[in-house]
Amino acid sequence: MTEKEITIFVDHREEASGIIELISKLGARMKTMQLPVGDFLVSERTVVERKTGSDFLQSIVDGRLFNQAEAMIDNFEKGFIIVEGEVYGVRYFHENAIRGAFISLFLDYGIPVIQTRN
């Protein structure tokens, strides 16, 4: 049995993040390009948007979050958002506003949010 090589398409704006090197070390082949939406195309059907905790909060304020969610479901069958770092207690946001954004992404758009430490 031979293993299939995994290729992940990465938006060119992620080059400075260090993520490309980390994922490459795990054995995936990375191809950099400009994606129409999201940061990582992990299959023909699935796109991933990566945000820092601070960017997640700012995207709620400036309205990008739900526009991005809409674009994700318009262009791909599946999507999810990874939020790196803390979002609670970082800025002036009430915790319920953040929880509401997470719930809305999942219930209204079918997009789960995965939080990571870093």
Coordinates of all heavy atoms in Angstrom, one line a residue, residues 30-67:
M30 N 3.1 21.9 0.7 CA 2.4 23.2 0.7 C 2.6 23.9 -0.6 O 3.7 24.0 -1.2 CB 3.0 24.1 1.8 CG 3.0 23.4 3.2 SD 1.4 23.0 3.8 CE 0.9 24.5 4.4
K31 N 1.5 24.4 -1.2 CA 1.6 25.2 -2.4 C 1.0 26.6 -2.1 O -0.2 26.7 -1.6 CB 0.7 24.6 -3.5 CG 1.5 23.6 -4.3 CD 0.7 23.2 -5.5 CE 1.5 23.4 -6.7 NZ 0.9 22.8 -7.9
T32 N 1.7 27.6 -2.3 CA 1.3 29.0 -2.0 C 0.6 29.6 -3.2 O 1.1 29.4 -4.3 CB 2.5 29.9 -1.6 OG1 3.2 29.2 -0.6 CG2 2.1 31.2 -1.2
M33 N -0.5 30.2 -3.0 CA -1.3 30.9 -4.0 C -2.2 31.9 -3.4 O -2.3 32.0 -2.1 CB -2.1 29.9 -4.8 CG -3.1 29.1 -4.0 SD -3.9 27.8 -4.9 CE -4.8 28.6 -6.2
Q34 N -2.9 32.7 -4.2 CA -3.9 33.5 -3.6 C -5.3 32.8 -3.6 O -5.8 32.4 -4.7 CB -4.1 34.8 -4.4 CG -5.0 35.8 -3.7 CD -4.9 37.2 -4.3 OE1 -4.0 37.6 -4.9 NE2 -5.9 38.0 -3.9
L35 N -5.8 32.6 -2.5 CA -7.1 31.9 -2.4 C -8.2 32.9 -2.4 O -8.1 34.0 -1.9 CB -7.2 31.1 -1.1 CG -6.2 29.9 -0.9 CD1 -6.3 29.3 0.5 CD2 -6.4 28.9 -2.0
P36 N -9.4 32.6 -2.9 CA -10.5 33.5 -3.0 C -11.1 33.9 -1.6 O -11.6 34.9 -1.4 CB -11.5 32.8 -3.9 CG -11.2 31.4 -3.8 CD -9.7 31.3 -3.6
V37 N -10.9 32.9 -0.7 CA -11.4 33.1 0.7 C -10.6 32.1 1.5 O -10.3 31.0 1.1 CB -12.9 32.8 0.8 CG1 -13.3 31.4 0.4 CG2 -13.5 33.2 2.2
G38 N -10.4 32.4 2.8 CA -9.8 31.5 3.7 C -8.3 31.5 3.5 O -7.7 32.3 2.7
D39 N -7.6 30.8 4.4 CA -6.1 30.7 4.4 C -5.5 29.4 3.9 O -4.4 29.4 3.5 CB -5.6 31.0 5.8 CG -6.1 32.4 6.3 OD1 -5.9 33.4 5.5 OD2 -6.5 32.5 7.4
F40 N -6.3 28.3 4.1 CA -5.8 27.0 3.7 C -6.9 26.2 3.0 O -8.0 26.1 3.5 CB -5.4 26.2 5.0 CG -4.3 26.9 5.8 CD1 -4.7 27.7 6.9 CD2 -3.0 26.7 5.5 CE1 -3.7 28.3 7.6 CE2 -2.0 27.4 6.3 CZ -2.4 28.2 7.3
L41 N -6.6 25.7 1.9 CA -7.5 24.8 1.2 C -7.0 23.4 1.4 O -5.9 23.0 0.9 CB -7.5 25.2 -0.3 CG -8.5 24.4 -1.2 CD1 -9.9 24.5 -0.7 CD2 -8.4 24.9 -2.6
V42 N -7.7 22.6 2.2 CA -7.2 21.3 2.6 C -7.8 20.2 1.8 O -7.3 19.0 1.9 CB -7.4 21.1 4.2 CG1 -6.6 22.1 5.0 CG2 -8.8 21.2 4.6
S43 N -8.8 20.5 1.0 CA -9.4 19.5 0.1 C -10.2 20.3 -0.9 O -10.3 21.5 -0.8 CB -10.2 18.5 0.8 OG -11.5 19.0 1.1
E44 N -10.7 19.7 -1.9 CA -11.5 20.4 -2.9 C -12.8 20.9 -2.2 O -13.3 21.9 -2.7 CB -11.9 19.4 -4.0 CG -10.8 19.0 -4.9 CD -11.2 18.0 -5.9 OE1 -12.4 17.6 -6.0 OE2 -10.3 17.5 -6.7
R45 N -13.2 20.4 -1.1 CA -14.4 20.8 -0.5 C -14.2 21.7 0.8 O -15.2 22.3 1.2 CB -15.1 19.5 0.0 CG -15.5 18.5 -1.1 CD -16.0 17.3 -0.5 NE -16.8 17.4 0.7 CZ -16.9 16.5 1.6 NH1 -16.4 15.3 1.5 NH2 -17.6 16.8 2.7
T46 N -13.0 21.7 1.3 CA -12.8 22.2 2.7 C -11.8 23.4 2.7 O -10.6 23.2 2.3 CB -12.4 21.1 3.7 OG1 -13.3 20.1 3.6 CG2 -12.4 21.7 5.1
V47 N -12.2 24.5 3.3 CA -11.4 25.7 3.5 C -11.2 26.0 5.0 O -12.2 25.7 5.7 CB -11.9 26.9 2.7 CG1 -13.2 27.4 3.2 CG2 -10.8 28.0 2.6
V48 N -10.1 26.5 5.4 CA -9.8 26.8 6.8 C -9.4 28.3 6.8 O -8.6 28.8 6.0 CB -8.7 26.0 7.3 CG1 -8.4 26.4 8.8 CG2 -9.0 24.5 7.3
E49 N -10.0 29.0 7.7 CA -9.6 30.4 8.0 C -8.9 30.4 9.4 O -9.4 29.9 10.3 CB -10.9 31.3 8.1 CG -10.6 32.7 8.5 CD -9.9 33.6 7.5 OE1 -9.9 33.3 6.3 OE2 -9.2 34.5 8.0
R50 N -7.7 31.0 9.4 CA -6.9 31.0 10.6 C -6.9 32.5 11.1 O -6.6 33.4 10.3 CB -5.5 30.6 10.3 CG -4.6 30.7 11.5 CD -3.1 30.3 11.0 NE -2.2 30.9 11.9 CZ -1.6 32.1 11.8 NH1 -1.9 32.9 10.8 NH2 -0.8 32.5 12.7
K51 N -7.2 32.7 12.4 CA -7.2 34.0 13.0 C -6.5 34.0 14.3 O -6.7 33.0 15.1 CB -8.6 34.5 13.2 CG -9.4 34.8 11.9 CD -10.7 35.4 12.2 CE -11.4 35.9 11.0 NZ -10.7 36.9 10.2
T52 N -5.8 35.1 14.6 CA -5.3 35.2 16.0 C -6.5 35.7 16.8 O -7.6 36.1 16.3 CB -4.2 36.3 16.1 OG1 -4.8 37.6 15.7 CG2 -3.0 36.0 15.2
G53 N -6.4 35.5 18.1 CA -7.5 36.0 19.0 C -7.9 37.4 18.7 O -9.1 37.8 18.6
S54 N -6.9 38.2 18.6 CA -7.1 39.7 18.4 C -7.8 39.9 17.1 O -8.7 40.8 17.0 CB -5.7 40.4 18.5 OG -5.9 41.7 18.2
D55 N -7.3 39.2 16.0 CA -8.0 39.4 14.7 C -9.4 38.9 14.7 O -10.3 39.5 14.1 CB -7.1 38.7 13.6 CG -7.7 39.0 12.2 OD1 -8.1 40.1 12.0 OD2 -7.7 38.0 11.4
F56 N -9.7 37.9 15.4 CA -11.1 37.4 15.5 C -12.0 38.4 16.1 O -13.0 38.7 15.6 CB -11.1 36.1 16.4 CG -12.5 35.5 16.5 CD1 -13.0 34.7 15.5 CD2 -13.3 35.8 17.6 CE1 -14.3 34.2 15.6 CE2 -14.6 35.2 17.7 CZ -15.1 34.5 16.7
L57 N -11.5 39.1 17.2 CA -12.3 40.1 17.9 C -12.5 41.3 16.9 O -13.6 41.9 16.8 CB -11.7 40.5 19.2 CG -11.6 39.4 20.2 CD1 -10.8 39.9 21.5 CD2 -13.0 38.9 20.6
Q58 N -11.4 41.7 16.3 CA -11.5 42.9 15.4 C -12.4 42.6 14.2 O -13.1 43.4 13.7 CB -10.1 43.3 14.9 CG -10.0 44.5 14.0 CD -10.6 45.7 14.8 OE1 -10.3 45.9 16.0 NE2 -11.4 46.5 14.1
S59 N -12.4 41.3 13.7 CA -13.3 41.0 12.6 C -14.7 41.0 13.0 O -15.6 41.2 12.1 CB -12.9 39.6 12.0 OG -13.1 38.6 12.9
I60 N -15.0 40.8 14.3 CA -16.4 41.0 14.7 C -16.8 42.5 14.6 O -17.8 42.9 14.1 CB -16.6 40.5 16.2 CG1 -16.4 39.0 16.2 CG2 -18.0 40.9 16.7 CD1 -16.4 38.4 17.7
V61 N -15.9 43.3 15.1 CA -16.1 44.8 15.2 C -16.3 45.4 13.8 O -17.2 46.1 13.5 CB -15.0 45.5 15.9 CG1 -15.1 47.0 15.7 CG2 -14.9 45.1 17.3
D62 N -15.4 45.0 12.9 CA -15.4 45.6 11.5 C -16.3 44.9 10.5 O -16.4 45.3 9.4 CB -14.0 45.9 11.0 CG -13.2 44.6 10.7 OD1 -13.8 43.5 10.5 OD2 -12.0 44.7 10.8
G63 N -17.0 43.8 11.0 CA -17.9 43.1 10.1 C -17.3 42.1 9.2 O -18.1 41.5 8.4
R64 N -16.0 41.9 9.2 CA -15.4 40.9 8.3 C -15.8 39.5 8.6 O -15.9 38.7 7.7 CB -13.9 41.0 8.4 CG -13.2 42.1 7.6 CD -11.7 42.1 7.8 NE -11.3 42.3 9.2 CZ -10.5 41.5 9.8 NH1 -9.9 40.4 9.2 NH2 -10.1 41.7 11.1
L65 N -16.0 39.2 9.9 CA -16.2 37.8 10.3 C -17.3 37.1 9.5 O -17.2 36.0 8.9 CB -16.4 37.7 11.8 CG -16.6 36.3 12.3 CD1 -15.3 35.4 12.1 CD2 -16.9 36.3 13.8
F66 N -18.5 37.7 9.6 CA -19.6 37.1 8.9 C -19.6 37.2 7.4 O -20.2 36.4 6.7 CB -20.9 37.6 9.6 CG -21.0 37.2 11.0 CD1 -20.8 38.2 12.0 CD2 -21.1 35.9 11.4 CE1 -20.9 37.9 13.4 CE2 -21.1 35.6 12.8 CZ -21.0 36.5 13.7
N67 N -18.9 38.3 6.9 CA -18.7 38.3 5.4 C -17.8 37.2 5.0 O -18.0 36.5 4.0 CB -18.1 39.7 5.0 CG -19.1 40.8 5.2 OD1 -20.3 40.6 5.2 ND2 -18.5 42.0 5.3

